[in-house]
Amino acid sequence: MKEVVILGGGYGGMHTLHGLLDNIGDDVRITVVDRNPYHSLKTEFYTIAAGTESDRHARVDFPKHEQVRYVFDEIEKIDVTNEQILLKGSENVPYDYLLIGLGCEDNYHGIVGAQEFTESVQTFSKARSAGYAINNLDAYGSVTVVGAGLSGIEVASEVRESRSDLNIRLLDRGETVLKAFDSKIQNYVEKWFKENDVEVIHNANVEYVEKDGVCNNGVCYINDVTVWTAGVRPSYLVRELPFDKDEQEKVIVNDYYQVPSRPNVYVVGDCASSEHSPSAQLAGQQGERVAVVLSAILQGKEPDRPSIVKLKGALGSLGKNDGFGNMLQKPMTGVLPRLAKSGVLWLSKRH
C-alpha cells in the first residue's frame, strides 16, 4: 500500500486531494492531517472576526472516500529523516509521499507585545477570538487594525459594517493602502474609509503594543482591541525543516513542486517559494498540479511538466455590498467585484 499524507486541509491540500480522488488506484491510501474536522475557507475569516457571519459560513465538510482517512490533531514535527509525522495526541503517521500545505502564521517582526496583545485572523480559532473581543465591546469602543493589505482592509471595513458605533483606526506602513493594487483601487478604498468614518494613518511604524494601546511613531493610541494583519510567514513546522529556503523562509521547490533533495515531498501555498504573492487561488492551482504529477508517479508513469500557474486576479470586499479587484486584467470597484467575490465563495463551497 502506497501511503500519501496531506498536511493541512486548506486550499492547496484540498485541491490536491480532489485531484487524486479523480484517478486513484486501489493500492493507494491517503491520510489528511488537520487540526480542524473541516476545510476552512480562510478568505472568509474576516467575517468571523467582524461578527457578520457564523462559523458555518467559513467551513466545508471534508469529502468522504473509502481510501481516505482523516486525523484531526496538532502536528509536533515533520520527521523527513524517518518519513513520518509526529502528532501530539495520536500515533505517528508514516508516509511514502508527502504534501505540505500548512499555510502561514502572523509575522510580528520582533515588535514587543504584538504577539501577546493582538488579535488575528490567521486561524479559525484566532478569528473566533477576534470576533469575541470585538463584538463584546461596549458602545463607542476602539479597534485598531495594524496593516493595510487585503486582510487589513477587509477586517476594518467589515467591522465598520458590523458595528457603526465603534471607533476604527487603520495603521498603514506605506503612503497608500493596498500597495499591490492599482491606484484606482487604492483611491477608491481610501475614499470609502473616509466616507465611513474609518481613520487611516499612513507611514505608520508600530514600535510596541500594549494590552490597551498601540504606540506608533512616538504616539500611543489608546484602544480596546488591536487586530494584527501586518505580514505573514510560513508555519514554524516548515521553517524548521532542513530544506533550502528563500529569503522569506519558504521552501524552494522545483517545477513539479517537489523538494529537490526529497522528491517524494511536495510543498504548496504559503510554504512554497513562488514568484506570486500568497493567495488561496495560488495554493489551489498548485494543489491541482501536484495532483496531476503525483497521480502519474503513483501509476508508475513519468509525469509531464506542470503547466504555468495563471492567476485570474484578486478580489476584496468593503462590507457586503461594495468591493474591488483586478478583473480581466483591469482594476474594478463597486458592486461587480463584490458579486464576483461572492461567486468565487459559492464555487469554493461546492467544489
Side-chain angles (χ1 to χ4, degrees):
M1 186 69 72
K2 301 170 185 175
E3 299 285 351
V4 176
V5 175
I6 296 175
L7 300 184
Y11 296 97
M14 284 302 95
H15 279 264
T16 301
L17 176 62
H18 283 287
L20 290 174
L21 292 181
D22 288 340
N23 191 21
I24 188 172
D26 294 335
D27 61 341
V28 176
R29 182 172 68 170
I30 301 173
T31 300
V32 178
V33 181
D34 195 274
R35 61 162 63 97
N36 295 318
Y38 43 75
H39 166 49
S40 302
L41 300 172
K42 190 174 181 180
T43 57
E44 298 300 302
F45 282 2
Y46 70 95
T47 65
I48 308 301
T52 55
E53 295 286 356
S54 68
D55 283 10
R56 192 68 181 92
H57 170 76
R59 52 186 167 90
V60 177
D61 294 337
F62 284 128
K64 295 181 180 179
H65 192 282
E66 61 183 7
Q67 289 171 253
V68 179
R69 71 168 180 139
Y70 296 94
V71 178
F72 305 123
D73 202 350
E74 291 284 346
I75 301 170
E76 281 196 333
K77 182 180 179 181
I78 303 171
D79 183 357
V80 294
T81 300
N82 298 302
E83 298 190 329
Q84 60 180 345
I85 309 303
L86 280 57
L87 304 174
K88 290 187 177 179
S90 308
E91 293 183 358
N92 297 346
V93 178
Y95 65 84
D96 297 307
Y97 300 92
L98 177 66
L99 172 81
I100 301 174
L102 291 173
C104 59
E105 57 190 47
D106 288 296
N107 188 348
Y108 297 104
H109 308 288
I111 295 175
V112 175
Q115 183 171 359
E116 294 83 357
F117 300 121
T118 65
E119 301 290 342
S120 169
V121 291
Q122 285 305 317
T123 68
F124 222 132
S125 62
K126 289 182 177 181
R128 288 192 189 103
S129 175
Y132 182 85
I134 292 170
N135 290 287
N136 269 356
L137 289 178
D138 294 333
Y140 313 116
S142 297
V143 176
T144 296
V145 179
V146 181
L150 182 57
S151 293
I153 296 301
E154 292 191 317
V155 169
S157 60
E158 197 79 4
V159 171
R160 167 51 74 225
E161 182 162 292
S162 175
R163 294 284 303 270
S164 61
D165 62 294
L166 295 179
N167 298 294
I168 304 172
R169 178 183 298 111
L170 183 65
L171 297 183
D172 174 24
R173 188 173 186 178
E175 296 183 355
T176 179
V177 298
L178 295 169
K179 64 179 181 179
F181 285 76
D182 186 90
S183 60
K184 175 185 176 181
I185 292 175
Q186 295 171 351
N187 294 334
Y188 185 86
V189 173
E190 294 267 11
K191 181 181 178 182
W192 189 96
F193 280 134
K194 184 175 182 179
E195 292 175 347
N196 288 273
D197 195 26
V198 175
E199 181 184 12
V200 180
I201 299 177
H202 294 297
N203 299 309
N205 179 30
V206 175
E207 296 159 306
Y208 60 93
V209 182
E210 296 181 334
K211 184 178 180 180
D212 56 359
V214 178
C215 293
N216 169 63
N217 283 326
V219 178
C220 290
Y221 301 103
I222 304 301
N223 66 281
D224 301 295
V225 176
T226 304
V227 183
W228 192 268
T229 66
V232 295
R233 63 198 303 200
S235 165
Y236 74 94
L237 291 165
V238 172
R239 299 202 308 271
E240 67 183 17
L241 289 172
F243 300 149
D244 290 336
K245 303 180 184 71
D246 64 14
E247 66 278 1
Q248 296 177 318
E249 302 179 280
K250 298 180 181 182
V251 177
I252 296 174
V253 295
N254 61 21
D255 292 341
Y256 298 86
Y257 302 100
Q258 300 166 320
V259 178
S261 61
R262 294 271 180 173
N264 64 328
V265 177
Y266 300 78
V267 187
V268 297
D270 300 335
C271 300
S273 181
S274 173
E275 62 179 315
H276 302 287
S277 299
S279 68
Q281 183 183 174
L282 174 63
Q285 288 199 31
Q286 290 174 336
E288 291 171 358
R289 285 154 177 75
V290 168
V292 172
V293 171
L294 189 50
S295 291
I297 291 175
L298 290 170
Q299 297 174 48
K301 302 176 181 177
E302 186 71 23
D304 294 330
R305 186 180 298 275
S307 58
I308 297 174
V309 167
K310 294 183 179 180
L311 301 180
K312 300 176 182 178
L315 298 168
S317 70
L318 295 169
K320 292 291 183 287
N321 301 306
D322 208 339
F324 55 89
N326 297 315
M327 301 174 63
L328 302 175
Q329 298 182 332
K330 294 182 179 181
M332 301 189 72
T333 57
V335 176
L336 184 58
R338 186 63 183 90
L339 290 174
K341 180 177 170 66
S342 296
V344 171
L345 175 63
W346 187 88
L347 290 173
S348 296
K349 289 184 175 182
R350 288 154 182 80
H351 186 280

